[in-house]
């Protein structure tokens, strides 16, 4: 009610402010042209980001997953990926998503972010090399036309991505053209160069201006485009432009920190790493700015940049000081990661009753969504394993050891029945619900093949839940007859316990091995043992009744409980075949959709929890 009232009051105020701004800008057409160019530049960046996300079809994610297993590779990959897609924010989204899904380590993620900082300098080179020396806006129109026409005839996701990239480039070129035109016209009435400041006072002032501008615009690339355009038109002094470039780097850390406030723990850690890196880089650049200027002048002669081509010299400066920052900080990534791991530690109680891997950042890409659900399914099974073990009155530690099974079943967990309902509500129900909810969100952007795979994983989760429920039904009579003076009925229930214990031990072995032959052997053995639960077919029940070894009541209970034991075995074996076994065959049909081969998918799914 209160929010609705605020909304009604704010809406007319916002409309009035917008109209007032339009009228005010209308009286200053040069400023309007510059701001319009900035708006188009930002819009183009958004189009390019969306386009690359659609066009890559999993390629970009695969590259980041495969080529980030050490720091030099991670930095190089971050550089090239950002330089190509022209979006450090897209790279950050992928990195956080992969980090949450366990595809890459925090060390690799930090390396990618460092490399991404160098990659962002590609925008400055694009503007200084092409945007200022040719009438770049002339190339914008054909790109916009192609971007609009392509989706009319080519409907695939990749072609739509290419169309969005073309539209993005066209709009960026238009934006650069408008910014250049606006600054050139503005100089006739207002010469900003008159406000140039010398010395370290000027450096600090313009660093602050660059930082504030980046925080407001929310894009260091757009800020650099403005700085280069203003420098090329003579609106700002070269020395002050260098300080503004440093400020743009500082400002982007503020943007990253603000964006991380709503992110998960991994996003926050990366934001801190980004902040530390950029602040150290800025400190080095400010401290040695005059020496760096001399280095830029020397390098400019070597690469053929003209003495008076300050726009390209600024781009070179921007690249050099980011490169120096990476060289200065990267040797200490290990210590930095150790420090980051002490930050934003989740509460311990989240471990048991809630999902561990279903982070919203993993929803960005189908591959990370699937992996997150697989890892959460394993988490659910770990909890179910504990419940089923205790429900069978067995000790979990014994089952996971090499103790003979006959000794395992003799060492009881408790003299009374374990409250499986309490265990279920605390350790199963919530996680299972979160998996279903997460899966529903994830499948909205999945292909039919990916949805089919996700459906199998959901079935595996259902099998786990059903096994826990069947254990509850089995437990009642089992506890009763384990205390019975009738050794025959007691032996039958101990046989059930022993067989299920053997199955649980085999599944634990299956989950820990990568050898397909061993997995198939253990599953085949488990399936054969499952047939023993049919005590009607194998004559066990008839013999016990005929020889008067058990009562009719015992016989009915044993028959029902054998069926429960059979269902538990069947469900757990079915789950194991989907989650732990035959990884290649389960995922091979996904190859074309995700642009991955079976070995890629296998390697991803076999990664251990970080």
């Amino acid at each position: 009610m209160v929010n609705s009232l605020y909304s009604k009051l704010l809406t007319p105020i916002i409309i009035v402010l917008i109209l007032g701004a339009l009228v005010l800008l209308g009286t200053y057409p040069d400023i309007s042209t510059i701001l319009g160019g900035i708006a188009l530049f930002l819009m183009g960046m958004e189009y390019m980001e969306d386009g690359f996300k659609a066009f890559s079809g999993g390629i970009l994610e695969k590259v980041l997953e495969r080529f980030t297993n050490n720091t030099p590779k991670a930095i190089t990959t971050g550089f090239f990926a950002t330089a190509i897609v022209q979006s450090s924010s897209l790279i950050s989204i992928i990195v956080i998503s992969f980090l949450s899904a366990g595809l890459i380590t925090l060390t690799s993620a930090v390396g990618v972010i460092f490399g991404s900082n160098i990659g962002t300098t590609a925008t400055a080179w694009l503007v200084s090399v092409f945007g200022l020396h040719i009438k770049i806006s002339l190339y914008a129109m054909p790109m916009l036309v192609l971007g609009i026409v392509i989706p009319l005839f080519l409907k695939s996701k990749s072609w739509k991505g290419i169309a969005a990239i073309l539209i993005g480039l066209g709009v960026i070129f238009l934006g650069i053209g408008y910014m250049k035109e606006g600054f050139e016209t503005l100089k006739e009435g207002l010469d900003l160069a008159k406000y140039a400041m010398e010395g370290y006072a000027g450096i600090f002032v313009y660093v602050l201006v660059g930082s504030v501008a980046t925080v407001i615009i929310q894009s260091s690339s757009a800020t650099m485009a403005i700085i280069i355009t203003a420098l090329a038109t003579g609106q700002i002094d070269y020395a002050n432009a260098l300080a503004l470039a440093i400020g743009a780097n500082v400002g982007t850390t503020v943007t990253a920190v603000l964006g991380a406030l709503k992110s998960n723990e991994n996003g926050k850690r990366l934001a801190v790493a980004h902040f530390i890196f950029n602040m150290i880089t800025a400190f080095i650049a400010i401290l040695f700015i005059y020496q760096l200027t001399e280095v830029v002048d020397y390098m400019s002669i070597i690469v053929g940049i003209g003495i008076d081509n300050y726009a390209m010299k600024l781009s070179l400066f921007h690249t050099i000081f980011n490169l120096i920052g990476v060289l200065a900080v990267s040797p200490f990534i290990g210590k930095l990661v150790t420090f980051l791991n002490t930050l934003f530690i989740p509460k311990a109680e989240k471990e048991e009753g809630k999902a561990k891997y279903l982070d919203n950042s993993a929803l960005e890409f189908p591959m990370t969504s699937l992996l997150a659900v697989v890892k959460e399914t394993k988490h659910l099974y770990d909890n179910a394993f504990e419940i089923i073990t205790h429900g069978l009155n067995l000790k979990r530690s014994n089952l996971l050891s090499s103790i003979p099974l006959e000794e395992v079943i003799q060492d009881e967990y408790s003299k009374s029945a374990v409250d499986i309902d309490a265990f279920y509500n605390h350790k199963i129900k919530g996680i299972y619900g979160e998996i279903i909810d997460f899966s529903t969100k994830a499948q909205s952007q999945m292909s039919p093949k990916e949805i089919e795979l996700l459906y199998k994983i959901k079935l595996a989760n259902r099998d786990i839940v059903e096994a826990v429920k069947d254990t509850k039904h089995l437990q009642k009579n089992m506890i009763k007859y384990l205390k019975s003076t009738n050794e025959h009925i007691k032996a039958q229930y101990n046989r059930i316990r022993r067989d299920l214990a053997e199955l649980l031990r085999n599944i634990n072995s299956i989950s820990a091995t990568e050898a397909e032959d061993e997995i198939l052997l253990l599953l085949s053995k488990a399936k054969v043992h499952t047939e023993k639960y049919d005590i009607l077919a194998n004559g066990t029940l008839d013999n016990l009744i005929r020889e008067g070894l058990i009562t009719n009541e015992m016989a009915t209970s044993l028959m029902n409980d054998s069926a429960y034991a059979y269902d538990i075995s069947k469900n757990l074996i079915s789950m194991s075949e989907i989650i732990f076994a035959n990884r290649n065959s389960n995922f091979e049909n996904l190859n074309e959709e995700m642009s991955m081969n079976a070995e890629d998918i296998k390697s991803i799914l076999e990664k251990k929890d970080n």
Side-chain angles (χ1 to χ4, degrees):
M1 188 71 180
V2 175
N3 289 336
S4 177
L5 182 61
Y6 277 130
S7 180
K8 289 179 180 179
L9 291 173
L10 285 174
T11 301
I13 294 173
I14 292 172
I15 292 173
V16 170
L17 289 174
I18 292 173
L19 291 174
L22 289 173
V23 172
L24 182 63
L25 290 173
T27 60
Y28 297 98
D30 303 330
I31 296 176
S32 297
T33 302
I34 295 169
L35 293 177
I38 296 171
L40 288 171
F41 189 93
L42 292 172
M43 187 186 301
M45 296 288 284
E46 287 287 332
Y47 266 101
M48 283 194 67
E49 181 175 319
D50 293 340
F52 271 108
K53 196 172 179 181
F55 168 68
S56 64
I59 297 174
L60 183 59
E61 297 93 282
K62 184 172 72 171
V63 167
L64 285 174
E65 187 274 328
R66 179 176 287 181
F67 297 105
T68 56
N69 57 344
N70 60 51
T71 299
K73 276 187 180 182
I75 292 172
T76 305
T77 302
F79 162 67
F80 281 111
T82 306
I84 292 170
V85 305
Q86 288 289 294
S87 174
S88 58
S89 61
L90 175 59
I91 301 303
S92 296
I93 289 170
I94 296 174
V95 168
I96 293 172
S97 180
F98 278 29
L99 189 57
S100 298
L103 284 172
I104 59 175
T105 63
L106 182 58
T107 302
S108 296
V110 171
V112 173
I113 295 300
F114 285 3
S116 182
N117 271 285
I118 305 175
T120 57
T121 63
T123 304
W125 286 105
L126 175 68
V127 176
S128 61
V129 174
F130 298 106
L132 303 177
H133 301 289
I134 59 176
K135 195 166 180 59
I136 199 169
S137 57
L138 292 177
Y139 296 91
M141 296 308 172
M143 289 181 177
L144 291 172
V145 171
L146 284 173
I148 297 297
V149 170
I150 285 175
L152 299 177
F153 300 98
L154 301 168
K155 304 292 186 180
S156 72
K157 187 177 179 181
S158 295
W159 279 109
K160 287 180 180 178
I162 292 172
I165 293 169
L166 288 172
I167 291 173
L169 275 173
V171 174
I172 285 174
F173 289 173
L174 276 179
I176 294 171
Y178 276 117
M179 280 190 281
K180 182 181 177 183
E181 179 186 330
F183 276 117
E184 287 174 344
T185 310
L186 181 66
K187 189 173 183 181
E188 298 174 5
L190 177 63
D191 189 1
L192 296 177
K194 293 188 298 184
Y195 301 97
M197 297 176 66
E198 297 181 354
Y200 271 100
I203 292 171
F204 284 116
V205 168
Y206 276 87
V207 166
L208 180 61
V209 171
S211 302
V212 172
T214 304
V215 172
I216 293 172
I217 298 171
Q218 294 284 294
S219 171
S220 60
S221 296
T223 304
M224 284 303 300
I226 297 167
I227 296 167
I228 293 170
T229 309
L231 176 63
T233 55
Q235 281 284 16
I236 54 175
D237 180 73
Y238 174 57
N240 294 153
L242 298 180
L244 286 169
I246 297 171
N249 261 38
V250 174
T252 196
T253 63
V254 178
T255 302
V257 169
L258 292 174
L261 292 177
K262 294 183 179 179
S263 183
N264 62 4
E265 291 82 10
N266 293 317
K268 290 183 174 70
R269 291 186 186 114
L270 281 183
V272 172
H274 195 188
F275 178 81
I276 292 172
F277 170 81
N278 278 21
M279 293 307 293
I280 292 174
T281 304
F283 175 77
I284 294 171
I286 293 172
L287 188 63
F288 299 102
I289 190 168
Y290 295 113
Q291 290 84 353
L292 285 173
T293 303
E294 293 177 4
V295 172
V296 169
D297 291 338
Y298 177 74
M299 292 293 295
S300 297
I301 296 171
I302 295 176
V303 298
I305 298 174
I307 297 175
D308 298 326
N309 192 342
Y310 293 114
M312 289 187 68
K313 288 170 79 171
L314 174 60
S315 299
L316 183 58
F317 172 81
H318 191 216
T319 302
I320 288 174
F321 88 74
N322 272 287
L323 187 58
I324 289 174
V326 170
L327 292 174
V329 180
S330 57
F332 305 99
I333 282 183
K335 293 183 178 179
L336 176 60
V337 168
T338 301
F339 166 70
L340 293 174
N341 281 326
T342 65
L343 304 177
F344 313 112
I345 299 174
K347 294 181 180 179
E349 57 265 24
K350 185 177 179 179
E351 297 295 321
E352 288 189 348
K354 293 186 178 180
K356 292 170 62 177
Y357 306 104
L358 303 183
D359 194 280
N360 285 334
S361 61
L363 289 169
E364 293 291 337
F365 306 97
M367 181 174 65
T368 51
S369 298
L370 286 168
L371 182 61
V373 177
V374 169
K375 293 183 76 173
E376 198 57 55
T377 302
K378 292 178 181 180
H379 176 216
L380 182 70
Y381 173 70
D382 286 341
N383 288 352
F385 180 89
E386 179 183 4
I387 297 170
I388 294 170
T389 303
H390 292 168
L392 295 173
N393 207 10
L394 303 172
K395 290 183 179 178
R396 191 169 182 267
S397 57
N398 288 345
L399 202 57
L400 295 175
S401 70
S402 58
I403 297 174
L405 289 174
E406 294 301 333
E407 295 180 23
V408 170
I409 63 172
Q410 294 302 321
D411 189 7
E412 295 183 351
Y413 174 74
S414 173
K415 295 299 180 182
S416 59
V418 173
D419 190 347
I420 292 181
D421 278 335
F423 267 95
Y424 175 82
N425 289 325
H426 181 56
K427 292 190 173 185
I428 299 293
K429 189 176 182 180
I431 298 174
Y432 181 53
E434 288 186 62
I435 289 173
I436 298 303
D437 181 61
F438 184 89
S439 300
T440 302
K441 294 176 183 176
Q443 69 185 34
S444 63
Q445 57 178 346
M446 287 183 174
S447 67
K449 293 289 184 183
E450 291 160 348
I451 292 173
E452 182 181 347
L453 175 56
L454 183 62
Y455 176 71
K456 288 183 179 180
I457 299 171
K458 287 195 289 185
L459 287 181
N461 280 275
R462 187 192 66 183
D463 291 336
I464 294 171
V465 172
E466 290 300 320
V468 172
K469 291 180 177 179
D470 286 334
T471 303
K472 175 192 170 183
H473 297 307
L474 170 63
Q475 183 196 45
K476 182 180 177 182
N477 287 324
M478 184 190 70
I479 295 295
K480 174 183 175 181
Y481 290 120
L482 285 177
K483 297 177 181 178
S484 174
T485 55
N486 187 318
E487 292 299 324
H488 301 285
I489 193 66
K490 186 176 181 179
Q492 290 300 315
Y493 275 94
N494 273 328
R495 179 188 58 80
I496 291 175
R497 292 171 69 222
R498 185 193 181 286
D499 289 342
L500 288 175
E502 183 178 8
L503 173 64
L504 291 170
R505 182 174 277 184
N506 285 338
I507 291 175
N508 184 64
S509 298
I510 290 169
S511 68
T513 185
E514 297 179 6
E516 289 289 337
D517 291 342
E518 184 179 347
I519 291 172
L520 291 174
L521 179 63
L522 288 170
L523 280 174
S524 298
K525 184 179 177 182
K527 288 178 180 178
V528 170
H529 282 191
T530 300
E531 299 303 321
K532 293 192 298 182
Y533 293 121
D534 192 351
I535 57 175
L536 283 176
N538 62 28
T540 300
L541 189 63
D542 288 340
N543 290 336
L544 290 170
I545 295 173
R546 185 168 50 249
E547 294 178 17
L549 300 176
I550 61 174
T551 65
N552 291 337
E553 180 187 354
M554 291 176 180
T556 303
S557 297
L558 182 59
M559 183 171 61
N560 291 335
D561 291 336
S562 294
Y564 287 132
Y566 174 81
D567 289 339
I568 292 170
S569 298
K570 181 187 68 176
N571 286 324
L572 292 181
I573 291 171
S574 177
M575 177 277 301
S576 299
E577 288 178 322
I578 295 171
I579 301 301
F580 299 124
N582 298 323
R583 293 175 177 92
N584 281 347
S585 61
N586 281 335
F587 297 99
E588 64 185 359
N589 293 328
L590 204 60
N591 294 348
E592 294 181 2
E593 294 290 335
M594 295 179 68
S595 302
M596 288 184 157
N597 58 42
E599 289 301 315
D600 293 329
I601 298 167
K602 179 183 176 182
S603 66
I604 290 171
L605 291 174
E606 289 178 346
K607 281 183 176 288
K608 305 300 180 185
D609 298 348
N610 288 334

